[in-house]
Amino acid sequence: MTLMLNTTLTSTLNAAPKPTSLAWLAPLAALLLPGLAQAADTPPSGAAPTVTDPHFRLAPGYLAPASLPLRLALLGAPPADGSAALARDEEAHRAAMSLKGSARETLAASDAELEFPAPAKTFACALGTDISEKTTPHLYTLMQRVLSDAGGSTYAGKNAWNRTRPFVVHGEGTCQPAMEPLLRTDGSWPSGHSAAGWAWGLILAEVQPERATEVLARGLAFGQSRVICNAHWQSDVDAGRLMGAATVATLHGNKDFIADLAAAKREVAAATQHGIKPGQDCAAERVALSLTQH
C-alpha cells in the first residue's frame, strides 16, 4: 500500500505543470486528506450555530455567523470508544481529580466564570496591568466581543456531536455545581471556554508583546482549568484551542477588530507607563498555577 501511494504521488508530482497556479495540488490533496472530503462542512450559508450557553451571547461579536470558522474539517471527530485518544482523556481526568480541594481547583472554579469583569481580572496578572472599563475600555470591550466569536466557533462541533461531559459519564460533580444543569445539555467537544481563553491569550500577546509568555501561559491554563473542573475532557480543550486560534486568524480580517486592537495597544502602553498594576493577588495566582504544567 505504501509503495502504491508513493508511486501515485510521484506520478502526480512529475505530471504537474510548472506552478503558475496551485490547481495541480488538488489531486495530491485528495490523496493525502481523504478524511476532509468526508467530514461535515459548514452550516448552511449565513446560518448561525445553535449556541446553548448564554455566556457566548453576552456581547455582540465582531464576526457575522457566516464568517465564523465553523468547518468541522478543522476538527474531525471526538475520540472514539476504545481509542488511545479516549484513554488519554481518562488519564487526564484521573490526574485532574487528584487536584480536588487544592488551590489549583479553586483557581479553575474562578476561571469558569465568563461574565465580565471576571475574565478581565483573570488575565490582569499575566498582562501586568489592570484590565477594566475604566483603565482599558477598548481592551475590555474587545475581550467581551471575542468571547462571543471564539465561543460561537465551537458550536458546529458541539451541535454535531453533543459529546457527554466527563462529570456526567463518571457520575461526579464539577467545581461549579450551579453550572451543571446547563453543562449536562451543552455539548462537551470542543470546549468554548478553552477557545476563548486561547483567543484571549493570543490577542493579549499582540497587545503587550513583552508579556507574551505570561499571557499565553495563562491562556493555556484557562483552558486546562476545564479539565481540572471536571467539565471537559482533555481532547475537548485541545480542540477548543484550535478553534480559538482559527477565530483569531479570522478576526484579523475584520476592520473593527483591528481598530480596537490598535486602541487596546495604546491603552495598555499608557497604563504600563503610569505604573498601573492589577488589583488581584498575583502571588496567590502564581502559587496555584505552579501546581500544574498549565
Side-chain angles (χ1 to χ4, degrees):
M1 177 65 184
T2 301
L3 179 60
M4 183 163 54
L5 178 58
N6 287 341
T7 301
T8 305
L9 288 175
T10 300
S11 299
T12 301
L13 290 169
N14 288 340
K18 297 301 179 183
T20 55
S21 75
L22 297 181
W24 66 276
L25 285 173
L28 180 60
L31 284 168
L32 294 176
L33 303 173
L36 295 187
Q38 300 169 11
D41 206 353
T42 58
S45 179
T50 303
V51 178
T52 53
D53 188 333
H55 293 102
F56 302 126
R57 301 195 303 268
L58 291 175
Y62 290 101
L63 301 174
S67 300
L68 288 171
L70 293 172
R71 291 183 181 273
L72 293 180
L74 285 172
L75 295 169
D81 289 344
S83 66
L86 184 59
R88 174 176 174 263
D89 277 350
E90 291 288 5
E91 181 181 359
H93 169 263
R94 289 190 293 271
M97 292 304 93
S98 71
L99 294 167
K100 290 189 74 67
S102 69
R104 185 63 182 88
E105 187 194 32
T106 300
L107 183 64
S110 177
D111 286 352
E113 182 53 69
L114 291 178
E115 288 195 38
F116 279 73
K121 293 179 178 179
T122 292
F123 280 86
C125 288
L127 189 63
T129 194
D130 181 50
I131 305 174
S132 66
E133 286 183 289
K134 179 180 178 181
T135 306
T136 55
H138 284 91
L139 178 57
Y140 190 87
T141 299
L142 180 150
M143 290 183 67
Q144 289 179 304
R145 296 186 70 178
V146 168
L147 171 62
S148 296
D149 291 328
S153 77
T154 65
Y155 272 85
K158 286 177 179 287
N159 295 165
W161 297 102
N162 197 28
R163 188 184 191 189
T164 305
R165 294 175 184 260
F167 79 93
V168 178
V169 170
H170 291 286
E172 299 163 337
T174 71
C175 65
Q176 285 280 17
M179 295 183 180
E180 289 174 18
L182 169 64
L183 297 180
R184 287 179 183 276
T185 57
D186 187 67
S188 190
W189 184 90
S191 165
H193 278 74
S194 303
W198 191 232
W200 286 329
L202 290 169
I203 291 167
L204 290 172
E206 288 191 68
V207 169
Q208 180 64 299
E210 293 81 1
R211 303 283 296 182
T213 298
E214 290 84 354
V215 294
L216 290 171
R218 192 64 182 91
L220 289 172
F222 190 87
Q224 206 59 33
S225 287
R226 303 306 286 159
V227 179
I228 294 166
C229 263
N230 203 22
H232 278 289
W233 303 99
Q234 183 65 54
S235 57
D236 301 339
V237 169
D238 297 340
R241 289 168 179 154
L242 174 62
M243 296 312 299
T247 299
V248 172
T250 305
L251 283 167
H252 277 78
N254 181 278
K255 62 181 179 60
D256 293 333
F257 169 77
I258 293 300
D260 283 346
L261 180 64
K265 290 179 180 180
R266 294 191 293 269
E267 289 174 344
V268 170
T272 302
Q273 184 177 3
H274 287 89
I276 300 175
K277 299 297 182 183
Q280 290 69 47
D281 187 345
C282 295
E285 181 180 284
R286 286 194 297 272
V287 169
L289 290 170
S290 71
L291 298 177
T292 56
Q293 181 180 1
H294 298 305

PDB file of all heavy atoms in Angstrom, residues 252-286:
ATOM      1  N   HIS A 252      -8.485  38.895  12.220  1.00  0.00           N
ATOM      2  CA  HIS A 252      -7.519  39.822  11.644  1.00  0.00           C
ATOM      3  C   HIS A 252      -7.946  40.344  10.273  1.00  0.00           C
ATOM      4  O   HIS A 252      -7.307  41.255   9.730  1.00  0.00           O
ATOM      5  CB  HIS A 252      -6.130  39.180  11.583  1.00  0.00           C
ATOM      6  CG  HIS A 252      -5.402  39.291  12.881  1.00  0.00           C
ATOM      7  ND1 HIS A 252      -5.659  38.471  13.957  1.00  0.00           N
ATOM      8  CD2 HIS A 252      -4.445  40.159  13.303  1.00  0.00           C
ATOM      9  CE1 HIS A 252      -4.886  38.814  14.968  1.00  0.00           C
ATOM     10  NE2 HIS A 252      -4.140  39.841  14.605  1.00  0.00           N
ATOM     11  N   GLY A 253      -9.004  39.819   9.737  1.00  0.00           N
ATOM     12  CA  GLY A 253      -9.576  40.363   8.515  1.00  0.00           C
ATOM     13  C   GLY A 253     -10.752  41.281   8.764  1.00  0.00           C
ATOM     14  O   GLY A 253     -11.408  41.723   7.817  1.00  0.00           O
ATOM     15  N   ASN A 254     -11.033  41.578  10.043  1.00  0.00           N
ATOM     16  CA  ASN A 254     -12.169  42.414  10.412  1.00  0.00           C
ATOM     17  C   ASN A 254     -11.680  43.804  10.823  1.00  0.00           C
ATOM     18  O   ASN A 254     -10.896  43.933  11.766  1.00  0.00           O
ATOM     19  CB  ASN A 254     -12.939  41.758  11.556  1.00  0.00           C
ATOM     20  CG  ASN A 254     -14.162  42.549  11.981  1.00  0.00           C
ATOM     21  OD1 ASN A 254     -14.053  43.505  12.740  1.00  0.00           O
ATOM     22  ND2 ASN A 254     -15.324  42.139  11.506  1.00  0.00           N
ATOM     23  N   LYS A 255     -12.125  44.844  10.134  1.00  0.00           N
ATOM     24  CA  LYS A 255     -11.590  46.191  10.360  1.00  0.00           C
ATOM     25  C   LYS A 255     -11.930  46.726  11.754  1.00  0.00           C
ATOM     26  O   LYS A 255     -11.132  47.465  12.350  1.00  0.00           O
ATOM     27  CB  LYS A 255     -12.077  47.152   9.281  1.00  0.00           C
ATOM     28  CG  LYS A 255     -13.578  47.361   9.205  1.00  0.00           C
ATOM     29  CD  LYS A 255     -13.953  48.323   8.086  1.00  0.00           C
ATOM     30  CE  LYS A 255     -15.455  48.525   7.984  1.00  0.00           C
ATOM     31  NZ  LYS A 255     -16.057  49.075   9.219  1.00  0.00           N
ATOM     32  N   ASP A 256     -13.091  46.378  12.285  1.00  0.00           N
ATOM     33  CA  ASP A 256     -13.455  46.859  13.621  1.00  0.00           C
ATOM     34  C   ASP A 256     -12.559  46.230  14.686  1.00  0.00           C
ATOM     35  O   ASP A 256     -12.140  46.907  15.639  1.00  0.00           O
ATOM     36  CB  ASP A 256     -14.919  46.549  13.919  1.00  0.00           C
ATOM     37  CG  ASP A 256     -15.883  47.341  13.043  1.00  0.00           C
ATOM     38  OD1 ASP A 256     -15.491  48.443  12.605  1.00  0.00           O
ATOM     39  OD2 ASP A 256     -16.997  46.858  12.795  1.00  0.00           O
ATOM     40  N   PHE A 257     -12.271  44.956  14.517  1.00  0.00           N
ATOM     41  CA  PHE A 257     -11.357  44.302  15.448  1.00  0.00           C
ATOM     42  C   PHE A 257      -9.972  44.943  15.374  1.00  0.00           C
ATOM     43  O   PHE A 257      -9.357  45.216  16.411  1.00  0.00           O
ATOM     44  CB  PHE A 257     -11.260  42.805  15.135  1.00  0.00           C
ATOM     45  CG  PHE A 257     -10.150  42.109  15.882  1.00  0.00           C
ATOM     46  CD1 PHE A 257     -10.276  41.778  17.214  1.00  0.00           C
ATOM     47  CD2 PHE A 257      -8.951  41.804  15.239  1.00  0.00           C
ATOM     48  CE1 PHE A 257      -9.247  41.154  17.909  1.00  0.00           C
ATOM     49  CE2 PHE A 257      -7.911  41.187  15.911  1.00  0.00           C
ATOM     50  CZ  PHE A 257      -8.060  40.855  17.256  1.00  0.00           C
ATOM     51  N   ILE A 258      -9.483  45.166  14.180  1.00  0.00           N
ATOM     52  CA  ILE A 258      -8.154  45.753  14.012  1.00  0.00           C
ATOM     53  C   ILE A 258      -8.087  47.137  14.658  1.00  0.00           C
ATOM     54  O   ILE A 258      -7.087  47.490  15.313  1.00  0.00           O
ATOM     55  CB  ILE A 258      -7.784  45.836  12.519  1.00  0.00           C
ATOM     56  CG1 ILE A 258      -7.617  44.420  11.937  1.00  0.00           C
ATOM     57  CG2 ILE A 258      -6.514  46.636  12.315  1.00  0.00           C
ATOM     58  CD1 ILE A 258      -6.546  43.585  12.605  1.00  0.00           C
ATOM     59  N   ALA A 259      -9.149  47.921  14.516  1.00  0.00           N
ATOM     60  CA  ALA A 259      -9.181  49.246  15.137  1.00  0.00           C
ATOM     61  C   ALA A 259      -9.165  49.145  16.656  1.00  0.00           C
ATOM     62  O   ALA A 259      -8.436  49.887  17.340  1.00  0.00           O
ATOM     63  CB  ALA A 259     -10.419  50.015  14.665  1.00  0.00           C
ATOM     64  N   ASP A 260      -9.955  48.230  17.205  1.00  0.00           N
ATOM     65  CA  ASP A 260      -9.971  48.060  18.659  1.00  0.00           C
ATOM     66  C   ASP A 260      -8.651  47.497  19.179  1.00  0.00           C
ATOM     67  O   ASP A 260      -8.205  47.847  20.278  1.00  0.00           O
ATOM     68  CB  ASP A 260     -11.126  47.142  19.069  1.00  0.00           C
ATOM     69  CG  ASP A 260     -12.470  47.849  19.044  1.00  0.00           C
ATOM     70  OD1 ASP A 260     -12.485  49.101  18.968  1.00  0.00           O
ATOM     71  OD2 ASP A 260     -13.510  47.153  19.100  1.00  0.00           O
ATOM     72  N   LEU A 261      -8.030  46.630  18.392  1.00  0.00           N
ATOM     73  CA  LEU A 261      -6.734  46.075  18.781  1.00  0.00           C
ATOM     74  C   LEU A 261      -5.692  47.191  18.883  1.00  0.00           C
ATOM     75  O   LEU A 261      -4.914  47.244  19.846  1.00  0.00           O
ATOM     76  CB  LEU A 261      -6.300  45.019  17.771  1.00  0.00           C
ATOM     77  CG  LEU A 261      -4.956  44.329  18.019  1.00  0.00           C
ATOM     78  CD1 LEU A 261      -4.992  43.530  19.312  1.00  0.00           C
ATOM     79  CD2 LEU A 261      -4.603  43.413  16.844  1.00  0.00           C
ATOM     80  N   ALA A 262      -5.687  48.088  17.916  1.00  0.00           N
ATOM     81  CA  ALA A 262      -4.742  49.209  17.942  1.00  0.00           C
ATOM     82  C   ALA A 262      -5.000  50.106  19.145  1.00  0.00           C
ATOM     83  O   ALA A 262      -4.055  50.553  19.828  1.00  0.00           O
ATOM     84  CB  ALA A 262      -4.843  50.010  16.644  1.00  0.00           C
ATOM     85  N   ALA A 263      -6.272  50.370  19.427  1.00  0.00           N
ATOM     86  CA  ALA A 263      -6.614  51.201  20.583  1.00  0.00           C
ATOM     87  C   ALA A 263      -6.223  50.501  21.890  1.00  0.00           C
ATOM     88  O   ALA A 263      -5.747  51.151  22.834  1.00  0.00           O
ATOM     89  CB  ALA A 263      -8.109  51.513  20.578  1.00  0.00           C
ATOM     90  N   ALA A 264      -6.408  49.192  21.944  1.00  0.00           N
ATOM     91  CA  ALA A 264      -6.037  48.433  23.140  1.00  0.00           C
ATOM     92  C   ALA A 264      -4.535  48.492  23.386  1.00  0.00           C
ATOM     93  O   ALA A 264      -4.084  48.605  24.537  1.00  0.00           O
ATOM     94  CB  ALA A 264      -6.494  46.988  22.999  1.00  0.00           C
ATOM     95  N   LYS A 265      -3.760  48.434  22.327  1.00  0.00           N
ATOM     96  CA  LYS A 265      -2.302  48.538  22.474  1.00  0.00           C
ATOM     97  C   LYS A 265      -1.914  49.881  23.085  1.00  0.00           C
ATOM     98  O   LYS A 265      -1.048  49.952  23.971  1.00  0.00           O
ATOM     99  CB  LYS A 265      -1.622  48.359  21.113  1.00  0.00           C
ATOM    100  CG  LYS A 265      -1.699  46.953  20.553  1.00  0.00           C
ATOM    101  CD  LYS A 265      -1.025  46.881  19.178  1.00  0.00           C
ATOM    102  CE  LYS A 265      -1.094  45.481  18.604  1.00  0.00           C
ATOM    103  NZ  LYS A 265      -0.450  45.397  17.262  1.00  0.00           N
ATOM    104  N   ARG A 266      -2.556  50.951  22.636  1.00  0.00           N
ATOM    105  CA  ARG A 266      -2.262  52.278  23.177  1.00  0.00           C
ATOM    106  C   ARG A 266      -2.665  52.369  24.649  1.00  0.00           C
ATOM    107  O   ARG A 266      -1.934  52.946  25.472  1.00  0.00           O
ATOM    108  CB  ARG A 266      -2.981  53.353  22.350  1.00  0.00           C
ATOM    109  CG  ARG A 266      -2.466  53.471  20.914  1.00  0.00           C
ATOM    110  CD  ARG A 266      -3.020  54.719  20.236  1.00  0.00           C
ATOM    111  NE  ARG A 266      -4.462  54.647  20.031  1.00  0.00           N
ATOM    112  CZ  ARG A 266      -5.040  54.163  18.944  1.00  0.00           C
ATOM    113  NH1 ARG A 266      -4.299  53.645  17.958  1.00  0.00           N
ATOM    114  NH2 ARG A 266      -6.352  54.155  18.818  1.00  0.00           N
ATOM    115  N   GLU A 267      -3.812  51.806  24.982  1.00  0.00           N
ATOM    116  CA  GLU A 267      -4.278  51.835  26.371  1.00  0.00           C
ATOM    117  C   GLU A 267      -3.315  51.111  27.305  1.00  0.00           C
ATOM    118  O   GLU A 267      -2.966  51.610  28.380  1.00  0.00           O
ATOM    119  CB  GLU A 267      -5.658  51.181  26.474  1.00  0.00           C
ATOM    120  CG  GLU A 267      -6.786  51.968  25.870  1.00  0.00           C
ATOM    121  CD  GLU A 267      -8.087  51.208  25.871  1.00  0.00           C
ATOM    122  OE1 GLU A 267      -8.072  49.959  26.058  1.00  0.00           O
ATOM    123  OE2 GLU A 267      -9.132  51.859  25.683  1.00  0.00           O
ATOM    124  N   VAL A 268      -2.905  49.925  26.910  1.00  0.00           N
ATOM    125  CA  VAL A 268      -2.029  49.121  27.764  1.00  0.00           C
ATOM    126  C   VAL A 268      -0.654  49.774  27.881  1.00  0.00           C
ATOM    127  O   VAL A 268      -0.043  49.774  28.956  1.00  0.00           O
ATOM    128  CB  VAL A 268      -1.925  47.675  27.228  1.00  0.00           C
ATOM    129  CG1 VAL A 268      -0.839  46.890  27.956  1.00  0.00           C
ATOM    130  CG2 VAL A 268      -3.275  46.975  27.369  1.00  0.00           C
ATOM    131  N   ALA A 269      -0.172  50.354  26.795  1.00  0.00           N
ATOM    132  CA  ALA A 269       1.109  51.071  26.854  1.00  0.00           C
ATOM    133  C   ALA A 269       1.028  52.225  27.846  1.00  0.00           C
ATOM    134  O   ALA A 269       1.951  52.448  28.649  1.00  0.00           O
ATOM    135  CB  ALA A 269       1.491  51.570  25.470  1.00  0.00           C
ATOM    136  N   ALA A 270      -0.083  52.964  27.823  1.00  0.00           N
ATOM    137  CA  ALA A 270      -0.256  54.090  28.741  1.00  0.00           C
ATOM    138  C   ALA A 270      -0.378  53.606  30.187  1.00  0.00           C
ATOM    139  O   ALA A 270       0.225  54.187  31.104  1.00  0.00           O
ATOM    140  CB  ALA A 270      -1.484  54.899  28.345  1.00  0.00           C
ATOM    141  N   ALA A 271      -1.156  52.540  30.400  1.00  0.00           N
ATOM    142  CA  ALA A 271      -1.323  52.006  31.756  1.00  0.00           C
ATOM    143  C   ALA A 271       0.004  51.503  32.318  1.00  0.00           C
ATOM    144  O   ALA A 271       0.321  51.713  33.495  1.00  0.00           O
ATOM    145  CB  ALA A 271      -2.357  50.882  31.749  1.00  0.00           C
ATOM    146  N   THR A 272       0.785  50.856  31.466  1.00  0.00           N
ATOM    147  CA  THR A 272       2.095  50.358  31.891  1.00  0.00           C
ATOM    148  C   THR A 272       3.023  51.520  32.218  1.00  0.00           C
ATOM    149  O   THR A 272       3.741  51.493  33.232  1.00  0.00           O
ATOM    150  CB  THR A 272       2.701  49.471  30.794  1.00  0.00           C
ATOM    151  OG1 THR A 272       1.810  48.387  30.503  1.00  0.00           O
ATOM    152  CG2 THR A 272       4.044  48.917  31.236  1.00  0.00           C
ATOM    153  N   GLN A 273       3.013  52.531  31.387  1.00  0.00           N
ATOM    154  CA  GLN A 273       3.869  53.702  31.603  1.00  0.00           C
ATOM    155  C   GLN A 273       3.526  54.400  32.921  1.00  0.00           C
ATOM    156  O   GLN A 273       4.417  54.904  33.624  1.00  0.00           O
ATOM    157  CB  GLN A 273       3.726  54.684  30.446  1.00  0.00           C
ATOM    158  CG  GLN A 273       4.655  55.885  30.536  1.00  0.00           C
ATOM    159  CD  GLN A 273       4.530  56.801  29.335  1.00  0.00           C
ATOM    160  OE1 GLN A 273       3.709  56.573  28.459  1.00  0.00           O
ATOM    161  NE2 GLN A 273       5.348  57.832  29.279  1.00  0.00           N
ATOM    162  N   HIS A 274       2.252  54.414  33.277  1.00  0.00           N
ATOM    163  CA  HIS A 274       1.821  55.054  34.513  1.00  0.00           C
ATOM    164  C   HIS A 274       1.904  54.122  35.726  1.00  0.00           C
ATOM    165  O   HIS A 274       1.502  54.500  36.827  1.00  0.00           O
ATOM    166  CB  HIS A 274       0.398  55.579  34.367  1.00  0.00           C
ATOM    167  CG  HIS A 274       0.291  56.794  33.504  1.00  0.00           C
ATOM    168  ND1 HIS A 274       0.097  56.726  32.130  1.00  0.00           N
ATOM    169  CD2 HIS A 274       0.389  58.117  33.798  1.00  0.00           C
ATOM    170  CE1 HIS A 274       0.052  57.948  31.623  1.00  0.00           C
ATOM    171  NE2 HIS A 274       0.241  58.811  32.610  1.00  0.00           N
ATOM    172  N   GLY A 275       2.402  52.919  35.514  1.00  0.00           N
ATOM    173  CA  GLY A 275       2.610  52.001  36.630  1.00  0.00           C
ATOM    174  C   GLY A 275       1.339  51.451  37.246  1.00  0.00           C
ATOM    175  O   GLY A 275       1.326  51.094  38.430  1.00  0.00           O
ATOM    176  N   ILE A 276       0.270  51.350  36.452  1.00  0.00           N
ATOM    177  CA  ILE A 276      -0.996  50.817  36.977  1.00  0.00           C
ATOM    178  C   ILE A 276      -0.901  49.295  37.064  1.00  0.00           C
ATOM    179  O   ILE A 276      -0.673  48.618  36.060  1.00  0.00           O
ATOM    180  CB  ILE A 276      -2.173  51.237  36.078  1.00  0.00           C
ATOM    181  CG1 ILE A 276      -2.271  52.758  36.034  1.00  0.00           C
ATOM    182  CG2 ILE A 276      -3.473  50.622  36.579  1.00  0.00           C
ATOM    183  CD1 ILE A 276      -3.330  53.277  35.075  1.00  0.00           C
ATOM    184  N   LYS A 277      -1.069  48.763  38.252  1.00  0.00           N
ATOM    185  CA  LYS A 277      -0.905  47.333  38.497  1.00  0.00           C
ATOM    186  C   LYS A 277      -2.257  46.640  38.652  1.00  0.00           C
ATOM    187  O   LYS A 277      -3.266  47.281  38.962  1.00  0.00           O
ATOM    188  CB  LYS A 277      -0.069  47.103  39.760  1.00  0.00           C
ATOM    189  CG  LYS A 277       1.348  47.679  39.678  1.00  0.00           C
ATOM    190  CD  LYS A 277       2.143  46.999  38.580  1.00  0.00           C
ATOM    191  CE  LYS A 277       3.571  47.515  38.514  1.00  0.00           C
ATOM    192  NZ  LYS A 277       4.332  46.913  37.389  1.00  0.00           N
ATOM    193  N   PRO A 278      -2.286  45.325  38.475  1.00  0.00           N
ATOM    194  CA  PRO A 278      -3.536  44.581  38.694  1.00  0.00           C
ATOM    195  C   PRO A 278      -3.979  44.681  40.155  1.00  0.00           C
ATOM    196  O   PRO A 278      -3.156  44.805  41.062  1.00  0.00           O
ATOM    197  CB  PRO A 278      -3.166  43.138  38.336  1.00  0.00           C
ATOM    198  CG  PRO A 278      -1.918  43.238  37.531  1.00  0.00           C
ATOM    199  CD  PRO A 278      -1.197  44.448  38.017  1.00  0.00           C
ATOM    200  N   GLY A 279      -5.279  44.620  40.348  1.00  0.00           N
ATOM    201  CA  GLY A 279      -5.801  44.651  41.712  1.00  0.00           C
ATOM    202  C   GLY A 279      -5.914  43.273  42.338  1.00  0.00           C
ATOM    203  O   GLY A 279      -6.309  43.146  43.504  1.00  0.00           O
ATOM    204  N   GLN A 280      -5.562  42.226  41.592  1.00  0.00           N
ATOM    205  CA  GLN A 280      -5.688  40.859  42.087  1.00  0.00           C
ATOM    206  C   GLN A 280      -4.450  40.443  42.889  1.00  0.00           C
ATOM    207  O   GLN A 280      -3.408  41.086  42.836  1.00  0.00           O
ATOM    208  CB  GLN A 280      -5.880  39.891  40.903  1.00  0.00           C
ATOM    209  CG  GLN A 280      -7.214  39.993  40.209  1.00  0.00           C
ATOM    210  CD  GLN A 280      -7.381  41.292  39.444  1.00  0.00           C
ATOM    211  OE1 GLN A 280      -6.491  41.711  38.713  1.00  0.00           O
ATOM    212  NE2 GLN A 280      -8.512  41.953  39.637  1.00  0.00           N
ATOM    213  N   ASP A 281      -4.594  39.332  43.628  1.00  0.00           N
ATOM    214  CA  ASP A 281      -3.474  38.756  44.375  1.00  0.00           C
ATOM    215  C   ASP A 281      -2.666  37.888  43.407  1.00  0.00           C
ATOM    216  O   ASP A 281      -2.901  36.686  43.275  1.00  0.00           O
ATOM    217  CB  ASP A 281      -4.001  37.926  45.546  1.00  0.00           C
ATOM    218  CG  ASP A 281      -2.880  37.432  46.465  1.00  0.00           C
ATOM    219  OD1 ASP A 281      -1.701  37.490  46.052  1.00  0.00           O
ATOM    220  OD2 ASP A 281      -3.194  36.988  47.583  1.00  0.00           O
ATOM    221  N   CYS A 282      -1.703  38.512  42.738  1.00  0.00           N
ATOM    222  CA  CYS A 282      -0.946  37.805  41.702  1.00  0.00           C
ATOM    223  C   CYS A 282      -0.024  36.743  42.302  1.00  0.00           C
ATOM    224  O   CYS A 282       0.242  35.722  41.654  1.00  0.00           O
ATOM    225  CB  CYS A 282      -0.147  38.802  40.871  1.00  0.00           C
ATOM    226  SG  CYS A 282      -1.195  39.950  39.934  1.00  0.00           S
ATOM    227  N   ALA A 283       0.449  36.953  43.502  1.00  0.00           N
ATOM    228  CA  ALA A 283       1.307  35.957  44.152  1.00  0.00           C
ATOM    229  C   ALA A 283       0.529  34.669  44.408  1.00  0.00           C
ATOM    230  O   ALA A 283       1.035  33.563  44.168  1.00  0.00           O
ATOM    231  CB  ALA A 283       1.869  36.516  45.455  1.00  0.00           C
ATOM    232  N   ALA A 284      -0.711  34.789  44.876  1.00  0.00           N
ATOM    233  CA  ALA A 284      -1.541  33.601  45.115  1.00  0.00           C
ATOM    234  C   ALA A 284      -1.851  32.886  43.805  1.00  0.00           C
ATOM    235  O   ALA A 284      -1.879  31.644  43.755  1.00  0.00           O
ATOM    236  CB  ALA A 284      -2.834  34.008  45.815  1.00  0.00           C
ATOM    237  N   GLU A 285      -2.068  33.655  42.741  1.00  0.00           N
ATOM    238  CA  GLU A 285      -2.327  33.039  41.445  1.00  0.00           C
ATOM    239  C   GLU A 285      -1.112  32.242  40.979  1.00  0.00           C
ATOM    240  O   GLU A 285      -1.256  31.127  40.464  1.00  0.00           O
ATOM    241  CB  GLU A 285      -2.687  34.103  40.412  1.00  0.00           C
ATOM    242  CG  GLU A 285      -2.984  33.524  39.033  1.00  0.00           C
ATOM    243  CD  GLU A 285      -3.342  34.585  38.011  1.00  0.00           C
ATOM    244  OE1 GLU A 285      -4.477  35.086  38.067  1.00  0.00           O
ATOM    245  OE2 GLU A 285      -2.487  34.899  37.162  1.00  0.00           O
ATOM    246  N   ARG A 286       0.079  32.799  41.160  1.00  0.00           N
ATOM    247  CA  ARG A 286       1.296  32.084  40.754  1.00  0.00           C
ATOM    248  C   ARG A 286       1.455  30.783  41.510  1.00  0.00           C
ATOM    249  O   ARG A 286       1.860  29.752  40.943  1.00  0.00           O
ATOM    250  CB  ARG A 286       2.527  32.971  40.962  1.00  0.00           C
ATOM    251  CG  ARG A 286       2.668  34.090  39.946  1.00  0.00           C
ATOM    252  CD  ARG A 286       4.052  34.716  39.998  1.00  0.00           C
ATOM    253  NE  ARG A 286       4.323  35.354  41.286  1.00  0.00           N
ATOM    254  CZ  ARG A 286       4.020  36.610  41.564  1.00  0.00           C
ATOM    255  NH1 ARG A 286       3.408  37.378  40.658  1.00  0.00           N
ATOM    256  NH2 ARG A 286       4.311  37.131  42.742  1.00  0.00           N
TER     257      ARG A 286
END
